[in-house]
Amino acid sequence: MSEHKEDIIRLSLSAVLLAAVMVVTHLLSLPVWACILLFAMPYLIAGYEVLTETVENVLHLEFFDEAFLMTVATVGAFCIGEYPEAVFVMLLFGVGELFEDISTDKSRASVEALMDIRPDKAEIETADGTKTVSPEEVAVGDVIVVKAGERIPLDGVVLSGESALDTAALTGESMPVSVAAGSTVASGCINLSGVLRIEVSGVYAESTAAKILDLMEHAAENKSKPERFMTKFAKFYTPAVVVLAVLLAVVPSLITGNWAEWIRRALMCLVASCPCALVVSVPLSYFCGIGGASKKGVLIKGAAALESLSSTGTVVFDKTGTLTHGDFTVSAVHPQQIDATELLEIAAIAESQSLHPIALSLKSAYRHNIPAERLQSVNEIAGNGILAVIDGKKVAVGNAKLMQQTGVEHRECHHSGTVIHVAVEGVYMGHIVISDTLKDGSTPAVAELKAQSIKTVMLTGDRKDAAEKIAQAVGVDEYFAELLPADKVSHLESLLNAEKTTVFVGDGINDAPVLSRADIGIAMGALGSDAAIEAADIVLMDDDPLKIAKAIAIARKCLGIVYQNIVFAIGVKLLCLLFGALGIANMWWAIFADVGVMVIAVLNAVRALRVKDL
Ligand code: ADP
Ligand code: MG
């Protein structure tokens, strides 16, 4: 802020001096050299930075930026005796720049405040009491203590204590989440009430907070089409404007002999054509859009993703963990040869290493401590199930396809739901039927997308009848079942089209290939899922499908603002150039076309930061 203060003082001083000099020169008829000298004071005070920048750029053989335009225009104005105008242009240019700095800083600060999840310390338990260290120094397995009001520094599992967590910085949800012993907690959340003892499950660099911060810091590097266009445009634009201005000054003057008038018009055109409104407002709009989205728990990896999302034509959903909770309950156990507990036990041991929602559900259905030492080797076959060696015996746990592949004759089941078959040494042992529930947000999310004329598709590796039930309940336009991860990729490819963006939404468990193949991959419920954060373009911090429609709405609004600014700025400038060349407009018009348009464009850009609730 102190830097702004300096500028404010400098510009005010220049303004006061300018007024004084105008009064003095009006009252006394001074010689030309005295006028130049007097007006040069406020001019230099307001413009010395612009002038030095121009000199530096010219020395580096870089012509044709805004500073160059301003310097040529104002020095030119001095040459034809328009002293007050020259000072005004410089002064208002300075005011515009100042305004731009302040609003950019403000929006940056508010985005940074939202993303202020960087933990600064961790308190670890040691043999002799607790010790405060930096989060980077904590190792996996250390126990940290987090008191009420403190930010959780690392991901982990609660050992003891009960509390409510404020996850708003990560998910945008204001409802506190209650945790107790056994709950997994993500770094970046704030512990609201009790003291928690947490066993750390990953080092800081791998933590949720570090990942999100890293992602936000690099978001600006992925440039959008309009931004890339602007960079190229600026290269040709300014030289073209300068050449046109020179032509406008010289050609009519040679014909009419009225040099002063045509030079004045040419200088006016130079001022009016300054591209700063665009150069500033386009990236600022994206920045604010990304910031506003993150406030709602939607992390967008860059302007290019935001832009692509705004023209979404199809949204493809994964089923398990995306439209459904992925939190299966066992609805039937049909054993053969062994008893039900034994069947569940074999399944739970085989699944003990897996992070698949089915695995988690079977493990929790077993209820006892899993004798994981009986598991000798394990191989997870994505979209099929598990092949394992338990007590020296080959075990297969998975769907009908897995049974066919391993040559086991399995029995079909009349129950609805996902059926997990179990075979030991090629002998069928029975199956477990599990069923999943729809997320509350799934049906409204699909309805919301349809209302925006977006096609919805569901892809799943599950059985056809389980898939059909879910597809009908949520109302997706199409669904495809019994797909392996590779089939999901080829189905997605058939849905890609050139004009509209195809979005894939997954939970990050075995769908990373599809996430990266889609135009835009959205990973949801990403608190803790590393692969998803890597592969996706957009990360939803919680697993509410309604956020998808919200993210699309944010992207559309942001792109709307970008185009409004482009059309507005170019429109006003063209009009002003036209009127300037015709001699209708004067320097004041030009100043509005430059500074006024920039201020309006920046104010409009900042609107992208505000995101309405759906
Ligand atoms: P979705 O497409 O619904 O997300 P997946 O592709 O992850 O489902 O899995 C498809 C099917 O493969 C599951 O319905 C299940 O029958 C089987 N399967 C996948 N992983 C496992 C596992 N760890 N244990 C048992 N079965 C599994
Ligand atoms: Mg899945």
Side-chain angles (χ1 to χ4, degrees):
M1 210 59 207
S2 69
E3 174 196 343
H4 294 157
K5 230 183 222 157
E6 235 169 65
D7 285 337
I8 293 170
I9 294 173
R10 195 167 53 79
L11 293 170
S12 320
L13 187 67
S14 162
V16 172
L17 258 176
L18 173 64
V21 171
M22 280 173 81
V23 172
V24 171
T25 51
H26 189 72
L27 294 177
L28 314 172
S29 56
L30 296 171
V32 171
W33 62 265
C35 288
I36 293 183
L37 222 63
L38 284 177
F39 278 108
M41 291 189 303
Y43 175 74
L44 290 176
I45 293 175
Y48 75 86
E49 275 179 2
V50 176
L51 296 175
T52 46
E53 199 185 318
T54 306
V55 172
E56 263 171 37
N57 286 347
V58 169
L59 289 180
H60 289 106
L61 299 179
E62 284 170 20
F63 304 95
F64 308 133
D65 62 343
E66 295 138 51
F68 182 80
L69 280 182
M70 286 300 136
T71 307
V72 173
T74 52
V75 170
F78 259 103
C79 295
I80 58 167
E82 304 232 336
Y83 314 123
E85 278 81 355
V87 184
F88 261 117
V89 169
M90 218 23 131
L91 188 58
L92 286 178
F93 183 71
V95 172
E97 297 264 283
L98 175 68
F99 176 80
E100 170 208 323
D101 281 355
I102 293 177
S103 46
T104 315
D105 280 3
K106 265 223 175 113
S107 40
R108 198 166 288 270
S110 60
V111 170
E112 271 162 15
L114 295 171
M115 296 317 309
D116 180 22
I117 53 171
R118 190 185 304 281
D120 40 34
K121 64 175 178 61
E123 214 173 298
I124 53 171
E125 273 183 4
T126 60
D128 33 47
T130 60
K131 191 170 90 180
T132 305
V133 297
S134 85
E136 285 86 355
E137 292 170 52
V138 181
V140 177
D142 280 353
V143 175
I144 54 172
V145 180
V146 183
K147 300 201 191 77
E150 289 180 342
R151 193 176 295 284
I152 296 177
L154 295 117
D155 297 350
V157 180
V158 177
L159 290 180
S160 65
E162 267 177 40
S163 179
L165 297 187
D166 175 358
T167 62
L170 302 183
T171 62
E173 294 303 329
S174 46
M175 272 295 279
V177 178
S178 50
V179 291
S183 315
T184 44
V185 293
S187 52
C189 300
I190 294 177
N191 179 13
L192 292 176
S193 40
V195 178
L196 292 175
R197 285 177 64 244
I198 298 167
E199 182 178 329
V200 174
S201 61
V203 293
Y204 177 71
E206 297 288 310
S207 72
T208 308
K211 288 233 170 71
I212 294 172
L213 287 165
D214 187 61
L215 208 149
M216 286 307 287
E217 272 156 26
H218 293 100
E221 287 165 15
N222 286 312
K223 291 273 191 288
S224 67
K225 255 189 261 154
E227 277 177 290
R228 288 194 302 267
F229 168 74
M230 292 296 308
T231 327
K232 278 196 206 138
F233 175 75
K235 262 203 199 124
F236 299 103
Y237 176 78
T238 327
V241 166
V242 173
V243 170
L244 282 178
V246 170
L247 288 177
L248 187 63
V250 174
V251 178
S253 303
L254 286 175
I255 300 166
T256 63
N258 189 352
W259 284 88
E261 175 57 24
W262 287 101
I263 290 178
R264 180 176 304 125
R265 291 186 193 182
L267 292 177
M268 207 215 89
C269 290
L270 277 187
V271 175
S273 62
C274 179
C276 29
L278 295 177
V279 172
V280 173
S281 78
V282 171
L284 184 66
S285 307
Y286 286 115
F287 181 75
C288 291
I290 292 172
S294 71
K295 188 155 57 170
K296 295 289 171 194
V298 178
L299 297 186
I300 301 176
K301 290 191 189 169
L306 190 74
E307 180 193 2
S308 175
L309 187 67
S310 72
S311 56
T312 300
T314 310
V315 174
V316 183
F317 294 92
D318 183 42
K319 178 178 76 79
T320 313
T322 305
L323 289 172
T324 68
H325 285 290
D327 196 1
F328 295 85
T329 46
V330 172
S331 50
V333 182
H334 296 156
Q336 281 190 356
Q337 313 190 22
I338 50 176
D339 69 25
T341 342
E342 239 178 305
L343 187 68
L344 254 177
E345 184 177 73
I346 295 172
I349 297 173
E351 301 277 7
S352 59
Q353 308 281 323
S354 170
L355 293 174
H356 196 280
I358 292 178
L360 303 183
S361 311
L362 288 177
K363 281 186 270 186
S364 71
Y366 176 60
R367 276 168 218 256
H368 308 283
N369 268 341
I370 297 170
E373 67 283 354
R374 287 171 54 192
L375 180 71
Q376 276 114 32
S377 83
V378 62
N379 182 14
E380 179 153 5
I381 302 171
N384 273 331
I386 304 259
L387 292 178
V389 177
I390 299 174
D391 300 333
K393 293 187 187 127
K394 280 192 196 142
V395 174
V397 178
N399 55 19
K401 262 187 269 172
L402 187 75
M403 294 298 118
Q404 280 153 15
Q405 278 165 25
T406 47
V408 175
E409 256 187 58
H410 65 279
R411 256 187 39 206
E412 287 303 336
C413 184
H414 58 279
H415 281 243
S416 71
T418 303
V419 182
I420 306 298
H421 301 277
V422 179
V424 177
E425 287 289 338
V427 182
Y428 191 59
M429 292 291 162
H431 52 250
I432 302 164
V433 186
I434 55 181
S435 52
D436 197 0
T437 46
L438 262 189
K439 286 183 194 165
D440 292 341
S442 295
T443 312
V446 169
E448 181 68 36
L449 292 172
K450 280 191 170 166
Q452 297 183 20
S453 337
I454 292 170
K455 182 175 157 189
T456 52
V457 181
M458 183 182 91
L459 301 182
T460 178
D462 209 348
R463 280 204 305 174
K464 188 142 191 195
D465 59 342
E468 186 177 3
K469 243 177 78 184
I470 300 285
Q472 276 170 357
V474 291
V476 286
D477 297 326
E478 287 176 19
Y479 75 93
F480 301 95
E482 299 181 18
L483 304 175
L484 293 176
D487 304 331
K488 289 188 188 173
V489 174
S490 48
H491 266 276
L492 183 97
E493 278 170 346
S494 72
L495 292 164
L496 293 177
N497 78 50
E499 291 122 58
K500 294 272 184 174
T501 304
T502 302
V503 173
F504 178 81
V505 195
D507 62 349
I509 306 284
N510 77 34
D511 44 24
V514 210
L515 278 175
S516 46
R517 184 66 186 90
D519 296 326
I520 291 290
I522 302 185
M524 59 166 32
L527 284 183
S529 168
D530 305 357
I533 295 192
E534 299 285 320
D537 303 291
I538 295 175
V539 177
L540 303 183
M541 295 315 295
D542 59 6
D543 52 10
D544 182 1
L546 265 173
K547 289 263 166 81
I548 300 159
K550 188 175 282 184
I552 295 173
I554 291 170
R556 288 194 172 159
K557 175 176 171 186
C558 185
L559 262 285
I561 290 174
V562 168
Y563 287 115
Q564 282 160 19
N565 280 346
I566 292 179
V567 170
F568 171 66
I570 293 182
V572 171
K573 278 167 197 290
L574 282 180
L575 274 181
C576 203
L577 288 178
L578 184 68
F579 288 149
L582 293 175
I584 301 170
N586 58 23
M587 204 48 128
W588 295 108
W589 290 48
I591 292 172
F592 172 74
D594 175 28
V595 180
V597 167
M598 182 179 80
V599 169
I600 293 171
V602 165
L603 286 177
N604 195 27
V606 173
R607 273 194 323 122
L609 195 57
R610 283 198 309 270
V611 177
K612 266 190 271 144
D613 282 321
L614 258 184

